[in-house]
Amino acid sequence: MKDFLNNLNNSQLESTLQMDGPMIVIAGAGSGKTRVLTYKIAYLMTQEIDPFNILALTFTNKAAKEMKERIARIVGDEAKNLWMGTFHSVFARILRIEAHKIGYTSNFTIYDSDDSQKLVGRIIKELNLDKDQYKYKSIFSRISSMKNNFITPLDYENDEEMLFSDKIANRSKFIQIYKQYVDRCFKAGAMDFDDLLLKTNELLSRYPETLSKYQNIFRYILVDEYQDTNHSQYLIIRALSDKFQNICVVGDDAQSIYSFRGANINNILNFQKDFPDAKLFRLEQNYRSTKNIVNAANSLIENNQKRLKKNVWTENESGEKISVNKLLTDGEEGRFVASSIFEYKMQNQLQNSDFAILYRTNAQSRSFEDALRKKNIPYRVYGGLSFYQRKEIKDVLAYLRLLINFDDEQAFKRIINFPPRGIGQTTLNKVSVEAKKYSESDFNFIKKYSKSFDIINNSTKNKLLDFVVMIESIKVKLDSLNVFEITKEILKQSGLYNLYKNDESLEGVNRIQNIEELLNGIKDFVDNTEENDVSVSSFLQNVALATDQDQESDDKNKVSLMTIHLAKGLEFPYVYIVGLEENLFPSAMNLNSRTELEEERRLFYVALTRAEKKIFLSYVLSRYRWGKLVDSEKSRFIDEIKEEFLQNNVVQKSISRNFQSNPQYNKTGIRFKKPQRRPAANFVKIKSSTKSNLFDNNLSMGNIVMHERFGKGVVVSIEGIGADKKAEIKFDKAGIKKLLLRFSKLKIIS
């Protein structure tokens, strides 16, 4: 037995040594599933299994890269021969090899969601459909759902129930949009993300010899995060593993949180029905979190009816109880979290990167960003506009895409008149109409027929032909230059570089810096890619299949702000889970069935299990919605955690005020003393004040007040002194009012 196996506990070792036949590993949070997968692959290779015969599927490129590096440290350079990567990257690789069988070239374009949505929007416009009735994002989402469930336009058209459903929903033209979208992608030589799975399924089902070929190649198949697989992925895995049945799936049903992407929890729940001879292993020892966190998470997830049995435990220290914090408003919540982070950093000599703020929706980040900036605490928001989605980057990538695929409709339309060449939309519309008559792409039509096309004047024809000549002059260099050198040629010949270089505005400076960073990234790809393929096609595939978690931060010592969905797979010593209110978390959109509610609960379970040492939960009594302060109710999920694991606190007023004159507080507004435990789950209610003489400093920003005429409101700002002191107050019903305090007869509620 190899020495590296000595690093495994008994459960991990048992599942690692199991080589043949189907098996499922139910891995609790923080139980070392990545270690098991890594060591299992390494062990297979030490047992003389050819790495070319091992397929390992992950959900991020980052995870695949890290696993391959760890395997290489055990078994050496042979690890480079593994088929390892995300579902999409591995199947894109297969499709490049086999593309001709399904009518594509090996240089097919991969559309990202932005490309796909724009194409759907263009089709809706061309069909003269009501854009409010047919919202392009929701239509594309529905198309994606159809593909993930392996429902083609033909299947859809023959399904009377779905057609009737569309008719009732006043979207009877959906099938036309779906058919046109599929047709336009095919003619453009393009696949979207869902096609990478759909077309692989099509390839394996239509060509038995191709299925047999890859069954013989992939004699051992390992799948990470199996609970997140969709129906299309499930079909591929079943087909590929059918011959040898040496399939190992690893996952945790309690962390199945991606149904909105098509993930089907039944794939993991029913694995033993699909493979009756499957062996079951459980990884239940948590190495990440304290006993209190592990037990709290267990007590929460026990409320789910649909789950696989396991008992997660840990030998780690007991740790602190989970801090539950009741605040007045979302602004108060932001200030509380920022001050708490500052305090813990100072008292414990911690790094910014030790902290994470997790929320249900991206929109919640604002109050925390504001508060962190005021405390000069650096942070990074995950899930915003990715580098490769920025306009100037997409411009450059569009030129690269058109170089290798003249049929790429989206790329052509993006760059034909950028930088501006005096080619108007009217001209492009005429070109598109004529190109369809010849069954050609717009680019190829210009190249072949534009000279005899007399609807366009000669000056404009020359501009179109100049563009074609430029693209073709760079294309001839594809075989002799790598992607870095080709990109430099594009920037020079297209005029993109000079366009941004001559723009001295802040936006122009940022764009030229981003283009420089793109070149740096391309150079790094050329110098360090494992595939020895430094072509434009290889680079574009690498970019197209990158995920949010594959992006590295330039400065890692920052507080992390992200949605809980993005936090899956990550861990932090200190975690703030915020916005724990009914209709926010759990989301109001997911309260229509037990299935939806249970997924929301699993999402909260994922949030809890990201923490190593300490968790802070927070909720507010009122939150701004569309500019109006509305009352909020504490999330049911807090009460579902057993009381023995919680420490309930009340932050009575804005933590940015009372501390200055109160010796219990330090500069950050956090008490030096640990707050006393409140009885049971009942928070101490804030006493009302009946003071109405407000010439002193009792009234502060953030106070909730009551006015005889305008009702309840929150103090937004205060100005002036003495008898001239005024307060700007946002009332629930009357809106914003500015009142002279000596006449206002306000009562401070809190």
Side-chain angles (χ1 to χ4, degrees):
M1 187 179 296
K2 300 295 182 181
D3 291 341
F4 67 87
L5 297 178
N6 295 334
N7 295 321
L8 301 174
N9 65 33
N10 289 337
S11 298
Q12 293 170 337
L13 180 62
E14 190 179 3
S15 55
T16 298
L17 296 180
Q18 175 65 37
M19 286 181 59
D20 298 325
M23 60 179 286
I24 179 171
V25 181
I26 303 301
S31 62
K33 71 175 179 62
T34 303
R35 173 176 286 192
V36 167
L37 271 175
T38 303
Y39 283 20
K40 187 171 185 65
I41 294 168
Y43 180 70
L44 287 171
M45 292 175 65
T46 64
Q47 301 305 297
E48 299 185 353
I49 303 298
D50 191 329
F52 283 105
N53 294 141
I54 299 173
L55 170 64
L57 297 167
T58 65
F59 270 80
T60 68
N61 296 303
K62 182 180 178 183
K65 181 181 178 183
E66 289 175 354
M67 283 177 60
K68 191 176 281 192
E69 288 172 350
R70 288 166 69 174
I71 294 167
R73 287 196 288 271
I74 298 172
V75 300
D77 287 345
E78 276 290 290
K80 292 181 179 178
N81 298 326
L82 289 164
W83 282 74
M84 178 179 281
T86 64
F87 281 86
H88 293 90
S89 64
V90 168
F91 299 138
R93 182 177 168 187
I94 291 173
L95 287 170
R96 297 243 181 245
I97 297 170
E98 311 290 347
H100 61 281
K101 293 179 180 174
I102 54 174
Y104 284 81
T105 68
S106 61
N107 279 334
F108 62 81
T109 298
I110 300 175
Y111 279 175
D112 62 21
S113 59
D114 183 58
D115 295 319
S116 298
Q117 288 175 8
K118 283 183 177 177
L119 178 55
V120 169
R122 188 173 289 121
I123 292 168
I124 291 170
K125 185 176 181 180
E126 290 170 2
L127 291 173
N128 293 315
L129 299 176
D130 184 345
K131 65 180 181 181
D132 293 324
Q133 188 68 41
Y134 292 88
K135 292 183 170 65
Y136 69 93
K137 288 186 178 180
S138 61
I139 293 295
F140 172 66
S141 178
R142 185 165 171 77
I143 290 173
S144 176
S145 177
M146 293 302 110
K147 289 185 176 183
N148 282 329
N149 286 288
F150 207 28
I151 299 172
T152 66
L154 183 60
D155 297 325
Y156 195 98
E157 202 168 24
N158 291 330
D159 190 308
E160 291 184 6
E161 188 175 334
M162 284 192 283
L163 292 175
F164 181 72
S165 173
D166 283 343
K167 186 176 181 180
I168 295 298
N170 289 321
R171 57 172 183 234
S172 57
K173 300 293 184 183
F174 171 78
I175 182 58
Q176 284 182 251
I177 302 171
Y178 189 11
K179 288 166 72 174
Q180 280 210 31
Y181 174 79
V182 169
D183 184 57
R184 295 272 279 272
C185 283
F186 182 73
K187 287 180 178 176
M191 295 187 198
D192 62 23
F193 274 19
D194 302 311
D195 283 329
L196 296 176
L197 304 178
L198 186 70
K199 298 298 181 185
T200 300
N201 264 314
E202 182 183 328
L203 182 72
L204 299 179
S205 60
R206 283 177 53 191
Y207 298 93
E209 72 283 2
T210 303
L211 172 60
S212 178
K213 170 185 173 181
Y214 287 101
Q215 284 177 334
N216 287 319
I217 292 175
F218 303 138
R219 293 175 180 241
Y220 288 84
I221 299 174
L222 301 95
V223 185
D224 193 12
E225 306 285 12
Y226 190 63
Q227 77 279 351
D228 293 331
T229 53
N230 61 34
H231 185 62
S232 196
Q233 290 164 331
Y234 165 81
L235 291 174
I236 295 170
I237 294 164
R238 282 295 307 270
L240 290 175
S241 63
D242 192 51
K243 184 172 184 179
F244 293 100
Q245 299 218 348
N246 295 324
I247 178 169
C248 169
V249 302
V250 182
D252 181 5
D253 60 295
Q255 297 187 65
S256 178
I257 59 173
Y258 291 117
S259 66
F260 66 96
R261 292 183 187 169
N264 187 348
I265 192 174
N266 292 317
N267 291 350
I268 193 168
L269 295 177
N270 296 333
F271 183 82
Q272 289 173 286
K273 292 180 181 178
D274 293 331
F275 297 92
D277 297 329
K279 295 187 176 179
L280 172 67
F281 300 88
R282 289 186 176 90
L283 304 182
E284 297 175 313
Q285 183 175 359
N286 180 294
Y287 291 94
R288 175 186 299 154
S289 308
T290 64
K291 283 187 175 72
N292 195 78
I293 291 172
V294 168
N295 292 334
N298 285 345
S299 72
L300 170 86
I301 205 64
E302 284 172 1
N303 290 279
N304 271 14
Q305 295 179 7
K306 203 172 184 180
R307 60 192 178 91
L308 296 172
K309 185 180 177 182
K310 63 178 178 298
N311 179 37
V312 182
W313 58 277
T314 185
E315 291 182 345
N316 293 341
E317 63 181 359
S318 295
E320 296 183 57
K321 292 189 176 183
I322 294 174
S323 171
V324 180
N325 301 279
K326 171 184 177 181
L327 298 117
L328 301 177
T329 66
D330 43 355
E332 297 276 332
E333 186 180 39
R335 290 188 286 275
F336 163 73
V337 170
S339 294
S340 177
I341 290 173
F342 188 92
E343 177 65 19
Y344 267 83
K345 275 179 57 184
M346 294 301 103
Q347 288 189 352
N348 301 289
Q349 290 79 51
L350 302 171
Q351 299 292 309
N352 295 312
S353 55
D354 291 329
F355 299 89
I357 304 172
L358 308 183
Y359 33 75
R360 181 64 180 84
T361 65
N362 276 309
Q364 291 170 254
S365 72
R366 182 202 54 79
S367 63
F368 304 102
E369 292 186 68
D370 290 346
L372 290 169
R373 280 198 299 270
K374 288 176 182 176
K375 290 285 183 188
N376 292 318
I377 300 174
Y379 63 89
R380 182 188 178 195
V381 180
Y382 289 73
L385 190 66
S386 83
F387 179 78
Y388 291 109
Q389 290 298 319
R390 292 170 182 168
K391 179 192 180 304
E392 59 276 13
I393 304 304
K394 294 207 74 169
D395 291 337
V396 179
L397 296 181
Y399 275 94
L400 290 173
R401 282 167 44 177
L402 192 62
L403 277 181
I404 62 170
N405 179 8
F406 287 166
D407 293 332
D408 190 333
E409 176 185 352
Q410 295 295 99
F412 172 81
K413 291 185 183 302
R414 185 179 189 97
I415 63 175
I416 178 61
N417 196 41
F418 193 81
R421 300 183 174 89
I423 302 170
Q425 191 59 49
T426 301
T427 297
L428 295 177
N429 290 342
K430 291 176 181 178
V431 168
S432 293
V433 169
E434 292 301 311
K436 286 178 183 176
K437 293 178 183 177
Y438 288 84
S439 297
E440 293 280 6
S441 66
D442 290 4
F443 184 93
N444 281 325
F445 171 77
I446 295 168
K447 177 182 173 183
K448 297 177 182 178
Y449 304 108
S450 64
K451 287 184 179 178
S452 59
F453 185 38
D454 56 10
I455 300 178
I456 297 176
N457 63 52
N458 289 333
S459 174
T460 305
K461 279 184 193 178
N462 290 335
K463 291 172 184 175
L464 291 168
L465 288 169
D466 286 346
F467 175 79
V468 169
V469 169
M470 177 192 67
I471 295 296
E472 290 195 311
S473 69
I474 302 174
K475 184 178 178 70
V476 298
K477 300 177 182 179
L478 283 177
D479 292 334
S480 58
L481 300 179
N482 63 42
V483 61
F484 177 73
E485 295 161 333
I486 288 290
T487 306
K488 289 200 296 183
E489 284 283 314
I490 283 172
L491 288 170
K492 179 181 176 182
Q493 292 197 39
S494 69
L496 274 177
Y497 183 80
N498 285 336
L499 177 74
Y500 290 128
K501 186 71 173 175
N502 295 331
D503 183 354
E504 296 180 358
S505 68
L506 180 60
E507 187 178 39
V509 171
N510 287 336
R511 283 180 167 164
I512 200 69
Q513 289 174 345
N514 286 336
I515 287 176
E516 182 180 356
E517 185 57 34
L518 174 65
L519 284 171
N520 293 338
I522 295 174
K523 189 66 167 66
D524 181 64
F525 171 82
V526 168
D527 292 343
N528 297 300
T529 184
E530 290 184 2
E531 307 298 332
N532 295 320
D533 182 356
V534 293
S535 66
V536 170
S537 181
S538 178
F539 173 74
L540 287 174
Q541 176 168 308
N542 187 66
V543 168
L545 299 178
T547 65
D548 288 333
Q549 289 193 1
D550 296 325
Q551 315 260 337
E552 294 290 342
S553 173
D554 53 346
D555 179 5
K556 295 183 180 179
N557 189 23
K558 295 180 179 179
V559 175
S560 296
L561 279 71
M562 65 185 80
T563 64
I564 301 164
H565 283 100
L566 282 179
K568 188 167 175 294
L570 304 178
E571 56 188 42
F572 304 90
Y574 298 87
V575 172
Y576 294 79
I577 308 171
V578 299
L580 278 161
E581 297 132 40
E582 286 293 301
N583 298 322
L584 182 57
F585 195 12
S587 168
M589 294 186 291
N590 293 327
L591 294 176
N592 301 311
S593 67
R594 180 173 298 280
T595 297
E596 291 177 346
L597 178 60
E598 291 200 350
E599 175 151 335
E600 287 288 299
R601 188 176 288 114
R602 292 194 297 269
L603 187 61
F604 186 39
Y605 176 85
V606 167
L608 292 172
T609 54
R610 298 312 92 203
E612 298 170 359
K613 296 181 179 180
K614 175 74 174 176
I615 295 174
F616 301 81
L617 307 180
S618 62
Y619 70 97
V620 303
L621 298 179
S622 53
R623 182 176 295 274
Y624 279 104
R625 301 279 175 89
W626 300 101
K628 183 179 180 181
L629 200 64
V630 297
D631 291 340
S632 301
E633 179 187 351
K634 180 179 65 169
S635 171
R636 71 188 74 185
F637 292 156
I638 295 177
D639 292 332
E640 289 179 355
I641 299 174
K642 288 184 179 177
E643 176 65 22
E644 63 195 90
F645 307 124
L646 302 177
Q647 168 69 56
N648 291 319
N649 304 317
V650 177
V651 182
Q652 294 193 17
K653 291 186 178 181
S654 172
I655 55 177
S656 64
R657 44 184 193 267
N658 296 327
F659 71 85
Q660 290 180 334
S661 58
N662 191 333
Q664 293 186 76
Y665 289 84
N666 70 357
K667 290 181 180 179
T668 67
I670 299 297
R671 295 176 187 266
F672 283 122
K673 296 179 183 180
K674 202 172 182 178
Q676 292 184 350
R677 178 69 183 273
R678 305 294 183 193
N682 298 320
F683 298 111
V684 176
K685 290 188 176 180
I686 301 163
K687 293 181 179 179
S688 298
S689 168
T690 58
K691 291 183 180 180
S692 58
N693 181 10
L694 300 173
F695 292 149
D696 57 15
N697 291 323
N698 284 352
L699 189 69
S700 302
M701 278 174 50
N703 271 143
I704 295 179
V705 296
M706 180 64 71
H707 186 272
E708 290 179 354
R709 179 181 171 191
F710 302 128
K712 191 170 70 171
V714 61
V715 178
V716 177
S717 66
I718 297 174
E719 62 184 48
I721 57 175
D724 294 325
K725 198 169 187 179
K726 299 175 183 176
E728 190 175 40
I729 301 171
K730 185 175 182 63
F731 291 99
D732 291 356
K733 295 181 179 178
I736 294 178
K737 303 288 183 184
K738 185 172 284 189
L739 305 178
L740 193 64
L741 293 185
R742 59 176 168 161
F743 298 125
S744 63
K745 295 184 180 180
L746 290 171
K747 291 182 180 180
I748 301 176
I749 297 176
S750 62

